[in-house]
């Protein structure tokens, strides 16, 4: 977890030898990255780093975002986590085509079969549906739910964070009180209440989760903007008459990207747990669709007879959230080092 | 000091007002005509009219809000649409149970987190630290309701040590209370323990890198002295912050855990109200839960100001 406990290869010891071949740690995650279009920044790094470009970044020509990407590329935990997420994304994308059986086909003659029965590797549920197939199809639902919640949270939180940080004054005070109030709600309880009035559906549930997470993004962006506003380079840019929109676009936005990436990774984990919790309560995904959370709910109803039903989806949720947490830690390490060298 | 206390108490007032807006505003969020939605698809015109009158939906919104808030201030949160019980009575039944559950979970999470964080921060980089770090990431990642399920399978159905469901009030039978609350509290406490371990470990490591620790070491103070007197004292301030963060999380998490173990707390009442769209009950529970969270956080902040003079204004 901590950067210092790892031996030399990851340390930015020698900026002049940034050829990928000198870094044994990055060779292993590379195949994963080939299938990870979601991580353009990271993949651009070890493979195609032009020496001149790399040196420039070290001398501090590439900007904070480029530095951050370079360090993430050297973080083994983060790269493995990205690989796992890429795999999940692939499963989510092609899931319906690779299921061994129809995930919604019922077979009342073979209900609650144990794992490793013929034709059903992970057994069947209370309606005789193939659990492995339902898990595969549920991947897409669970990941889409996370994306929806993150999108709602960022659409609300990021612009407001920019505005309140940049404008400041009374507007900032009002917005901050609002986020104080929003953050004093026990998160799950407010989501439940919102879903109760809007009606249970995955969309409503994730909308509620997104609203609850918006203050995190708002506060984060506001903090970064507040810090940057006083920086010399921003002041210099303002003094030569650069319009405010241009300053935000050119100077402030790029500097918020790396902390935002960390926040996205961490929040994604929480979003997944919230989705699972709401679906477990029957307030998220509605039957016959399945997310991993709603599958635990079904497992809960039959846990005396067939405990496996609930255990498999829980393991998948735990693994995915663990991946997000690890990714967040790795990204934060990259961030921390950057801040340390800059101060 | 007094000024800090007064300031901090005053800043909660707008927060509380906003919270009442949100809790009340839940009715306004119902798509379409709330009375029709609440009464259900098979309701007659008379039934819809009755719902509208009971909720006072025919009056202006401002009047409705004012009535609701003044009622809440005097302890009247309205009556349930389905059981016709006073909402405040249901909450009075459920709240002590939830508080007992969340409190026990908090104790358990601290009992796990504090020693783990101290050991792992002091033995940084060893196998013990790595184990604790991975363990705490896993603790965050495990869904609490799933963990509860596994605990029931192992300790109740497998080993038969503890009851799987139900609740006994502490004043009736303390031993039975403990037996019933142990698994739910452990389930709820593990996620909190994981979170606290990570935060505390980080803050202890931060303190260890401070100059005054180096000074204390270089002047020849014994290691135990340095740790006990300088490190722990300074690292305990963030612990207070962690406590504040945990309280809202525990209150929310209790909803899920109560559902699994059949604990009759606020969460159970909330879920029942949600399935029947019993809006007054939901509003009341949201308001009370947030009130508890806000008051706890206020106390935490006051304690923080007391421990750490730096955050007090001059």
């Amino acid at each position: 977890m901590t950067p210092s406990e790892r031996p030399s290869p990851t340390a930015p010891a020698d900026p002049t030898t940034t050829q990928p071949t000198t870094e044994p740690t990055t060779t292993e995650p590379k195949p994963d990255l080939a299938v990870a279009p979601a991580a353009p920044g990271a993949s651009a790094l070890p493979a195609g780093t032009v020496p001149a470009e790399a040196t420039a970044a070290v001398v501090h020509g590439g900007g904070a975002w480029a530095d951050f990407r370079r360090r993430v590329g050297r973080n083994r935990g983060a790269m493995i986590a990205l690989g796992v997420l890429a795999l999940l994304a692939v499963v989510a994308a092609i899931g319906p085509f690779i299921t061994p059986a129809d995930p919604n086909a019922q077979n009342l003659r073979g209900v609650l079969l144990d794992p490793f029965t013929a034709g059903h590797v992970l057994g069947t549920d209370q309606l005789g549906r193939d659990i492995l197939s339902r898990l595969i199809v549920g991947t897409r639902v669970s990941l889409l739910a996370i994306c929806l919640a993150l999108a709602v949270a960022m659409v609300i939180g990021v612009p407001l964070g920019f505005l309140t940080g940049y404008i400041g004054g009374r507007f900032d005070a009002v917005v901050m009180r609002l986020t104080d109030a929003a953050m004093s709600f026990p998160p799950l309880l407010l989501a439940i209440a919102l879903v109760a009035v809007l009606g249970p559906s995955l969309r409503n549930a994730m909308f509620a989760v997104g609203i609850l997470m918006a203050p995190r993004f708002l506060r984060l962006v506001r903090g970064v903007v507040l810090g940057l506003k006083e920086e010399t380079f921003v002041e210099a840019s303002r003094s030569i008459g650069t319009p405010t929109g241009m300053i935000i676009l050119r100077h402030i936005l790029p500097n918020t990207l790396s902390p935002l990436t960390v926040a996205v990774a961490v929040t994604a984990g929480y979003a997944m747990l919230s989705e699972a919790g709401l679906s477990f309560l029957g307030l998220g995904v509605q039957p016959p669709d399945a997310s991993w959370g709603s599958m635990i709910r079904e497992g809960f109803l039959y846990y005396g007879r067939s405990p496996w039903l609930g255990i498999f989806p829980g393991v998948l949720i735990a693994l995915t959230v663990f991946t997000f947490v690890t990714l967040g830690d790795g990204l934060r390490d990259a961030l921390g080092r950057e801040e340390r060298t800059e101060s | 000091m007094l000024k800090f206390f007064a300031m901090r108490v005053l800043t909660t007032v707008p927060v509380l007002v906003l919270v009442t807006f949100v809790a009340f505003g839940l009715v306004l969020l119902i798509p379409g005509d709330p009375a029709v939605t609440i009464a259900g698809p098979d309701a007659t015109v008379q039934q819809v009219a009755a719902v509208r009158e009971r909720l006072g939906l025919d009056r202006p919104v401002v009047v409705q809000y004012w009535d609701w808030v003044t009622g809440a201030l005097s302890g009247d949160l309205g009556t349930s649409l389905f059981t016709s019980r006073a909402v405040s009575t249901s909450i009075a039944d459920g709240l002590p149970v939830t508080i007992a559950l969340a409190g026990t979970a908090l104790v358990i999470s601290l009992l796990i987190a504090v020693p783990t964080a101290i050991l792992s921060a002091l033995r940084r980089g060893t196998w013990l630290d790595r184990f604790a770090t991975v363990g705490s990431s896993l603790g965050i990642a495990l869904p609490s309701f799933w963990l509860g399920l596994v605990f029931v399978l192992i300790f109740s159905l497998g080993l038969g040590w503890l009851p799987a469901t139900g609740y006994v009030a502490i004043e009736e039978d303390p031993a039975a209370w403990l037996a019933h609350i142990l698994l739910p509290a452990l389930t709820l406490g593990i996620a909190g323990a994981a979170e606290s371990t990570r935060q505390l470990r980080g803050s202890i490591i931060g303190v260890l890198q401070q100059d005054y620790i180096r000074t204390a070491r270089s002047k020849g103070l014994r290691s135990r002295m340095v740790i006990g007197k300088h490190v722990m004292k300074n690292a305990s301030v963030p612990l207070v912050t962690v406590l504040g963060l945990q309280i809202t999380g525990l209150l929310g998490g209790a909803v899920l855990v109560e559902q699994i173990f059949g604990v009759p707390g606020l969460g159970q009442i909330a879920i029942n109200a949600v399935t029947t769209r019993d809006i007054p009950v939901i509003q009341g529970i949201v308001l009370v839960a947030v009130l508890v969270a806000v008051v706890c956080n206020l106390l935490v902040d006051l304690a923080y100001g007391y421990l750490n003079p730096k955050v007090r204004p001059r």
Side-chain angles (χ1 to χ4, degrees):
Chain A
M1 292 295 122
T2 48
S4 60
E5 69 196 41
R6 261 178 241 110
S8 54
T10 50
D14 199 347
T16 48
T17 58
T18 343
Q19 284 91 358
T21 40
T22 55
E23 293 177 30
T25 44
T26 48
T27 50
E28 161 194 355
K30 234 185 276 171
D32 295 333
L33 285 169
V35 284
S43 61
L45 245 183
T49 323
V50 189
E53 193 183 283
T55 341
V58 172
V59 179
H60 208 255
W65 178 230
D67 283 2
F68 175 67
R69 288 193 321 219
R70 189 167 41 80
R71 287 199 197 96
V72 172
R74 288 184 185 162
N75 188 309
R76 200 198 303 199
M79 295 320 270
I80 294 176
L82 275 177
V84 173
L85 290 179
L87 185 73
L88 280 176
V90 169
V91 171
I94 63 168
F97 305 107
I98 56 165
T99 51
D102 180 350
N104 288 328
Q106 304 183 4
N107 174 15
L108 297 178
R109 290 209 186 124
V111 297
L112 298 175
L113 292 177
D114 282 333
F116 303 114
T117 32
H120 301 287
V121 181
L122 297 182
T124 57
D125 69 2
Q126 74 279 11
L127 296 172
R129 298 175 292 194
D130 184 51
I131 293 181
L132 178 62
S133 303
R134 288 182 72 73
L135 284 174
I136 291 175
V137 175
T139 311
R140 180 187 288 185
V141 180
S142 296
L143 291 192
L144 277 182
I146 295 179
C147 295
L148 186 59
L150 281 176
V152 171
M154 289 179 77
V155 164
I156 301 173
V158 173
L160 258 180
F162 271 116
L163 275 181
T164 189
Y166 208 84
I167 298 174
R170 233 173 246 173
F171 179 68
D172 182 48
V174 170
V175 174
M176 279 297 109
R177 287 290 83 75
L178 279 173
T179 60
D180 277 349
M183 289 176 105
S184 56
F185 282 93
L188 201 61
L189 197 62
L190 186 60
I192 289 169
L194 276 174
V195 173
V197 295
L198 296 174
S201 77
L202 185 67
R203 208 192 48 188
N204 288 348
M206 294 334 281
F207 190 71
V209 172
I211 291 178
L212 290 173
M213 302 203 155
R216 293 167 180 246
F217 287 101
L218 194 156
R219 287 184 169 224
L220 177 90
V221 172
R222 171 183 176 266
V224 176
V225 173
L226 275 182
L228 285 171
K229 226 163 60 170
E230 311 303 323
E231 289 280 337
T232 330
F233 67 93
V234 176
E235 211 173 313
S237 188
R238 199 180 303 138
S239 66
I240 57 170
T242 317
T244 307
M246 198 62 161
I247 294 181
I248 290 188
L249 212 64
R250 293 283 306 266
H251 299 299
I252 297 190
L253 192 65
N255 282 296
T256 54
L257 282 180
S258 16
L260 264 180
T261 318
V262 179
V264 166
V266 176
T267 316
Y270 285 109
M272 170 152 246
L273 286 177
S274 310
E275 184 275 327
L278 287 169
S279 290
F280 173 76
L281 293 171
L283 301 175
V285 169
Q286 299 300 310
D289 285 343
S291 78
W292 295 341
S294 72
M295 290 182 73
I296 299 186
R297 172 189 172 81
E298 288 166 7
F300 176 61
L301 300 173
Y302 296 91
Y303 69 81
R305 216 179 124 191
S306 182
W308 296 110
L309 204 55
I311 289 192
F312 289 129
V315 170
L316 280 180
I317 293 175
L319 275 179
T320 312
V321 179
F322 182 74
T323 308
F324 278 123
V325 174
T326 311
L327 180 64
D329 282 344
L331 296 178
R332 189 174 292 136
D333 277 355
L335 195 69
R337 264 183 269 171
E338 171 193 330
E339 277 164 1
R340 219 172 295 159
T341 46
E342 295 219 320
S343 58
Chain B
M1 193 69 204
L2 212 66
K3 195 173 157 199
F4 166 74
F5 274 33
M7 284 276 287
R8 185 60 187 80
V9 173
L10 275 179
T11 51
T12 49
V13 175
V15 170
L16 284 179
V17 173
L18 283 169
V19 164
T20 61
F21 281 162
V22 173
F24 172 78
L26 286 172
V27 183
L28 308 176
L29 282 176
I30 298 179
D33 183 349
V36 174
T37 313
I38 292 170
D42 304 325
T44 59
V45 180
Q46 284 83 6
Q47 281 170 324
V48 172
V51 168
R52 185 171 291 132
E53 203 190 308
R54 263 179 71 186
L55 285 177
L57 292 171
D58 40 3
R59 288 168 303 153
V61 175
V62 186
V63 179
Q64 290 179 45
Y65 172 73
W66 182 250
D67 283 354
W68 185 72
V69 167
T70 46
L73 282 176
S74 59
D76 173 22
L77 290 164
T79 49
S80 160
L81 292 177
F82 286 83
T83 60
S84 297
R85 273 184 90 193
V87 174
S88 46
T89 325
S90 301
I91 291 179
D93 288 346
L95 188 62
V97 180
T98 299
I99 288 183
L101 173 62
T104 318
L106 189 64
V107 172
I108 289 178
S109 80
L110 288 179
L111 282 179
I112 301 174
V114 174
T116 317
I118 293 175
L119 278 179
S120 123
L122 292 181
R123 311 243 181 291
R124 199 173 159 205
T126 60
W127 64 269
L128 193 140
D129 179 34
R130 233 161 273 170
F131 183 76
T133 318
V134 173
S136 59
S137 299
L138 261 183
I140 290 177
L142 292 171
S144 63
F145 48 99
W146 181 77
L147 201 62
L149 199 71
V150 174
F151 281 163
V152 168
L153 284 172
I154 298 174
F155 295 108
S156 304
L157 300 184
L159 299 169
W161 287 353
L162 293 164
T165 54
Y167 182 76
V168 177
I170 189 168
E171 56 270 15
E172 274 175 38
D173 183 353
W177 172 80
L178 191 66
H180 279 96
I181 206 147
L182 207 55
L183 279 187
L186 189 65
T187 307
L188 189 55
I190 280 183
E195 192 99 17
S196 308
T197 305
R198 286 162 65 91
Q199 303 248 4
L200 256 184
R201 176 180 175 275
S203 74
I204 295 176
I205 287 175
V207 172
L208 281 172
Q209 287 167 345
Q210 296 292 318
D211 286 345
Y212 56 79
I213 298 298
R214 202 181 48 198
T215 313
R217 284 227 168 96
S218 61
K219 75 179 183 189
L221 268 188
R222 240 179 268 154
S223 184
R224 193 181 299 166
M225 227 8 211
V226 178
I227 307 287
K229 225 178 154 182
H230 297 274
V231 177
M232 287 309 143
K233 221 173 179 180
N234 287 293
S236 66
V237 178
L239 179 67
V240 178
T241 324
V242 171
L243 274 181
L245 288 174
Q246 279 218 11
I247 290 162
T248 34
L250 285 176
L251 281 175
V255 179
L256 284 168
V257 174
E258 284 174 9
Q259 199 68 10
I260 294 165
F261 292 94
V263 177
L266 278 189
Q268 281 272 4
I269 303 173
I271 296 299
N272 289 338
V274 164
T275 45
T276 54
R277 281 213 164 164
D278 200 341
I279 300 293
V281 177
I282 298 172
Q283 286 177 321
I285 288 177
V286 168
L287 185 70
V288 169
V290 179
L291 209 63
V292 173
V294 167
V295 170
C296 287
N297 273 305
L298 177 67
L299 292 177
V300 164
D301 272 12
L302 293 183
Y304 193 65
Y306 178 75
L307 286 172
N308 185 2
K310 269 188 258 173
V311 300
R312 282 181 235 153
R314 306 268 143 173

